[in-house]
Amino acid sequence: MDAIATPPARLVDRFEREVSYLRLSVTDRCDFRCVYCMAEDMTFLPREQVLSLEELFSVGSAFTELGVRKIRITGGEPLIRRNIMSLFQRLGQLPGLEQLALTTNGSQLTTMAAPLRDAGVNRINVSLDSLDPARFHRITRTGDLSKVLSGIESAVDAGFDSVKINAVILKGRNEDEIIDLVAYARNTGVDLCFIEEMPLGIIDEHDRALTYCSSDEIYDIVHGEYSLQPEEDTRGADTGGPARYYGMADSGSRIGFISPHSHNFCHLCNRVRLTAEGRLLLCLGNEHSADLKQVLRSNPDDTDALKHAIVAAMDLKPERHHFDLSAAPDIVRFMNMTGG
Ligand code: SAM
Ligand code: SF4
């Protein structure tokens, strides 16, 4: 057998970064319309353009055979996709997969948290930007805060290895809730990660240059109230990516910062993303991609063709991204397409 016929057991890009983490967007649809993520009036993909659950499983399986050890299911809102639990159950059985994670808006978690845990999901991130019901509704445009809070409680009760809250802080919108969100995380016994808003998709709801709140500003506010101690390994076995984490002496909760603008961690990047329509994105902030849907649909049942396409795509992974909030976004795809 020649070398081309045997895909390697690990994925390495041109800059010697090993790709061990896949983020799989299972739908572009969502029951929320968060102001930083979507326009109010969205057109979603026709269903036939979205990968089937079978195709999603094939991609997850091929990546695991190529050395990927962590898969995060995201979207859109993954938990509103019909029969999604069957995908979790199958991925949860993949040999070699060490972490099966989920990012969700929490709206369905009250009933789904325990079955997800049973299916093998071990880490769960829930987005929560406000603890005020009216404000939460304004930011998400449709969301019911009480359902999300009850979903987070169910997730804590279900005993995941990690439950983490993700909060996007926008000036003039929710920056006055930073300390309340930290207190909530401490009381609930979960981690909390602050994310800088990224210029993905054209939104008309606010000017991103005006609402941008840097991780450093948020850090100062939190540190003014709670003493934060940096964790030694910011990449940590579980984070494996661009978050910096801090502990607090009197609490098990950790505070993280994802800073795509102010602290660039591209040199440590270990991840790639698959959009709901099967485009493999090599970088969140660039358009380099490979069309895996085309490979899947023209070579059904040919795992090697899929694996070769994945290996070849590694050469497309750019060295880094550049975000500029003062200019029109270079990346016109919305975050729900990208798979945040
Ligand atoms: N619907 C799920 C949720 O909200 O968690 C999963 C998909 S959502 C796109 C994943 C994460 O991306 C969320 O934590 C959300 O806050 C974040 N996000 C969406 N648009 C963003 C943007 N423009 N900048 C930064 N984070 C964004
Ligand atoms: Fe939906 Fe998540 Fe985007 Fe909010 S951030 S609109 S919940 S996909």
Coordinates of all heavy atoms in Angstrom, one line a residue, residues 30 32-34 36-38 76 105 336, ligand 2:
C30 N -32.0 28.1 15.4 CA -32.0 28.3 16.9 C -33.3 28.9 17.3 O -34.1 29.5 16.5 CB -30.9 29.4 17.2 SG -30.7 29.6 18.9
F32 N -33.4 31.0 19.8 CA -33.1 32.4 20.2 C -32.6 33.2 19.0 O -32.2 32.6 18.0 CB -32.0 32.4 21.3 CG -32.4 31.8 22.6 CD1 -33.6 31.3 22.9 CD2 -31.5 31.9 23.7 CE1 -34.0 30.8 24.1 CE2 -31.8 31.4 24.9 CZ -33.0 30.8 25.2
R33 N -32.4 34.5 19.2 CA -31.9 35.3 18.1 C -30.9 36.3 18.8 O -31.2 37.5 18.8 CB -33.0 36.1 17.4 CG -34.0 35.3 16.6 CD -33.4 34.9 15.3 NE -34.4 34.2 14.5 CZ -34.7 32.9 14.7 NH1 -34.1 32.2 15.6 NH2 -35.6 32.3 13.9
C34 N -29.9 35.8 19.5 CA -29.1 36.7 20.3 C -28.5 37.9 19.4 O -28.1 37.6 18.3 CB -27.9 36.0 20.9 SG -28.5 34.7 22.0
Y36 N -25.9 39.6 19.2 CA -24.5 39.6 18.7 C -24.2 38.5 17.7 O -23.2 38.4 17.1 CB -23.5 39.5 19.9 CG -23.8 38.5 20.9 CD1 -23.6 37.1 20.6 CD2 -24.4 38.8 22.1 CE1 -24.0 36.2 21.6 CE2 -24.8 37.9 23.0 CZ -24.5 36.5 22.7 OH -24.9 35.6 23.6
C37 N -25.2 37.5 17.7 CA -25.0 36.3 16.9 C -25.8 36.3 15.6 O -25.3 35.8 14.6 CB -25.4 35.1 17.8 SG -25.3 33.5 16.9
M38 N -27.0 36.8 15.7 CA -27.9 36.7 14.5 C -28.5 38.1 14.2 O -28.7 38.9 15.1 CB -29.0 35.8 14.8 CG -28.6 34.3 14.9 SD -30.1 33.3 14.8 CE -29.4 31.7 15.1
G76 N -25.8 27.3 15.8 CA -27.2 27.1 16.1 C -27.4 26.5 17.5 O -26.5 26.4 18.3
N105 N -27.7 26.9 24.4 CA -28.3 28.0 25.1 C -29.1 27.6 26.3 O -29.6 28.5 27.0 CB -29.2 28.9 24.1 CG -30.4 28.1 23.6 OD1 -30.9 27.2 24.2 ND2 -30.9 28.5 22.5
N336 N -23.9 31.6 14.2 CA -24.7 30.3 14.2 C -24.3 29.4 13.0 O -24.5 28.2 13.1 CB -26.2 30.7 14.1 CG -26.6 31.2 12.8 OD1 -26.0 32.2 12.3 ND2 -27.6 30.6 12.2
Ligands
SF4_2 FE1 -28.8 30.9 19.1 FE2 -26.5 30.5 20.5 FE3 -26.6 32.3 18.5 FE4 -27.9 32.8 20.7 S1 -25.7 32.5 20.5 S2 -28.7 33.1 18.6 S3 -28.6 30.9 21.4 S4 -26.9 30.1 18.3

